[in-house]
Amino acid sequence: MAEHAIDDTNRRDFLYIWTGALGAVAAGSAVIPLVDQMNPDAATIAAGAPIEVDLTQIPEGQVVTLKWRGKPIFVRHRSKKEIDESKAVAVASLPDPQPDSARVGSFNGKPMDKWIVNIGSCTHLGCVPISNSGEFHGWYCPCHGSHYDTAGRIRKGPAPKNLELPPFSFQSESKVRIG
């Protein structure tokens, strides 16, 4: 009789553990879809979610065009010469006066002046300017003749303002987050 009592106890413990495990699996099966449906869908993410850009893939002197919130974004890796020329411009002579330092970000208090991040839409009528062109070797809008320098500042033409800056921050010296 004592043997049956031990077998019943082991069997009962096994059934309790097995029932608890099945209950946990069932609860997880119900909770996972509930939590997943609360996440934004791909269209919502594409419409405004921040994007991160690996800057190590952009050679010096080159511009990469990305898309964020349906807008083109220019990320430019400026050379030392481009930085020096941009800093040497008399700010008061610009149609939309803004120093080079106001158009660059920083990381850990260090200016990241070799990187320019602009919204790639001409401030005249919204055309997309051509990179590495124009009189100032920045951007040129062939539709109406606006010339921007390598900092995205309007230098010549009908555009009333500099290329806009999207919200951005440097996550490291090799990564920028836009949005």
Side-chain angles (χ1 to χ4, degrees), residues 8-162:
D8 288 341
T9 303
N10 289 342
R11 189 175 303 141
R12 191 175 314 122
D13 290 343
F14 173 77
L15 289 174
Y16 285 146
I17 292 170
W18 185 247
T19 304
L22 286 177
V25 169
S29 297
V31 170
I32 289 172
L34 178 67
V35 170
D36 191 45
Q37 65 89 24
M38 291 183 205
N39 291 328
D41 66 350
T44 303
I45 291 170
I51 57 173
E52 290 192 357
V53 181
D54 179 8
L55 300 173
T56 62
Q57 303 300 311
I58 307 171
E60 186 175 287
Q62 296 298 310
V63 179
V64 171
T65 304
L66 310 161
K67 200 166 194 175
W68 174 72
R69 289 192 171 182
K71 298 175 187 175
I73 301 292
F74 297 143
V75 179
R76 181 184 197 105
H77 187 173
R78 298 191 301 177
S79 67
K80 175 81 169 116
K81 180 183 175 207
E82 291 173 329
I83 295 166
D84 292 343
E85 288 174 354
S86 186
K87 288 181 178 180
V89 171
V91 176
S93 70
L94 297 172
D96 183 11
Q98 193 175 32
D100 184 76
S101 60
R103 301 194 54 82
V104 300
S106 64
F107 177 69
N108 287 340
K110 175 186 169 193
M112 299 292 286
D113 54 2
K114 66 181 178 178
W115 299 105
I116 291 291
V117 181
N118 293 311
I119 295 177
S121 183
C122 180
T123 58
H124 178 232
L125 292 175
C127 307
V128 178
I130 300 169
S131 301
N132 291 324
S133 60
E135 289 183 29
F136 303 94
H137 308 291
W139 290 272
Y140 171 67
C141 184
C143 302
H144 301 101
S146 292
H147 295 258
Y148 298 90
D149 65 12
T150 59
R153 298 176 297 193
I154 183 64
R155 300 289 296 275
K156 180 180 176 183
K161 296 192 166 284
N162 301 329

